[in-house]
Amino acid sequence: MLTPWFSCLLLRGAVVGLAAGLITGAGPAGAAAPPPTSLISDDLVNEIRGWLDTPVVDLSIAAKNEATADLRQSDVDRLDRQWRAEVETDDQPLITEILSSPLSNYLLQIQAGSLGLYAEIFVINNVGLNVGQSAITSDYWQGDEAKFQKTYDVGPDAVFIDAPEFHEGTQTWRAQLSLTINDDLGRKSGVATVEINLTELSRRK
């Protein structure tokens, strides 16, 4: 019988393969004209809020917020350096801890179920540290980036859509949508970032 971690690895591989096999843009010509981010409608944002509104998201963020409440910035920087170093090696205790969490498994299932619309999903806590993610990110701390500063630092209803970027591997345009996550009392608790495949979204429209 496959272990849960190995099964998760297989699913991650399948998601990457699915994204690579989708209908893509027209190479360099497509790269010159990205689909507009206005395709990311209020309905899509509300759909994302819907699948984020679940106990596995709320409980995971709450636990992470409690665990990191006493961290100093120097501690955060140390953890971020550890993560970046692990990305380059086979010994990945911190990365494995996050990727094997119930939240990461849930986000991976959401990504797989989107059939290529979501290229990546990750959830950040109230100090900008990763809580769960569908794939390995290059860094662990997002607190110094616009995805956090233009959502969590702005307010509970904040939504931020970053500029589109062309993904060479799949020849598709992508844009990151980030929004503030709130707890049951309406207080800010974290942030979710969803990388939208704009080329696929345009095809569906």
Side-chain angles (χ1 to χ4, degrees):
M1 177 179 295
L2 295 177
T3 64
W5 173 236
F6 186 66
S7 298
C8 183
L9 284 176
L10 290 179
L11 181 53
R12 290 182 197 281
V15 170
V16 171
L18 175 63
L22 288 171
I23 296 174
T24 62
T37 56
S38 59
L39 288 172
I40 303 176
S41 64
D42 290 342
D43 287 343
L44 181 57
V45 173
N46 289 333
E47 178 182 314
I48 291 171
R49 289 193 187 279
W51 53 254
L52 286 170
D53 186 17
T54 183
V56 70
V57 174
D58 296 337
L59 293 173
S60 297
I61 294 176
K64 187 79 165 190
N65 287 347
E66 182 177 358
T68 61
D70 297 327
L71 288 184
R72 297 169 297 181
Q73 186 58 46
S74 59
D75 298 319
V76 171
D77 292 341
R78 174 180 53 79
L79 288 168
D80 191 50
R81 288 194 299 271
Q82 178 184 342
W83 182 282
R84 290 170 181 267
E86 288 184 11
V87 169
E88 305 297 330
T89 68
D90 294 329
D91 185 21
Q92 302 178 321
L94 181 57
I95 291 175
T96 299
E97 176 187 347
I98 301 299
L99 286 182
S100 61
S101 71
L103 177 56
S104 291
N105 289 330
Y106 172 71
L107 297 178
L108 181 61
Q109 291 172 24
I110 293 294
Q111 180 179 335
S114 76
L115 300 177
L117 182 59
Y118 304 145
E120 183 181 21
I121 310 168
F122 51 100
V123 169
I124 311 160
N125 82 332
N126 61 5
V127 295
L129 291 173
N130 293 352
V131 182
Q133 54 206 91
S134 64
I136 298 177
T137 53
S138 60
D139 51 4
Y140 185 45
W141 184 51
Q142 318 295 334
D144 59 341
E145 299 183 19
K147 62 175 66 70
F148 185 85
Q149 296 173 347
K150 293 190 176 184
T151 54
Y152 190 89
D153 289 346
V154 171
D157 299 319
V159 175
F160 170 65
I161 301 174
D162 214 337
E165 293 187 358
F166 190 70
H167 187 262
E168 292 287 351
T170 58
Q171 294 287 291
T172 57
W173 281 98
R174 300 176 177 183
Q176 288 190 340
L177 162 72
S178 299
L179 51 84
T180 306
I181 298 175
N182 306 304
D183 63 17
D184 291 339
L185 298 177
R187 301 171 301 190
K188 297 183 299 180
S189 60
V191 171
T193 294
V194 183
E195 190 168 275
I196 308 292
N197 183 335
L198 288 176
T199 303
E200 173 63 11
L201 182 59
S202 177
R203 185 188 70 82
R204 295 185 187 189
K205 293 289 186 177

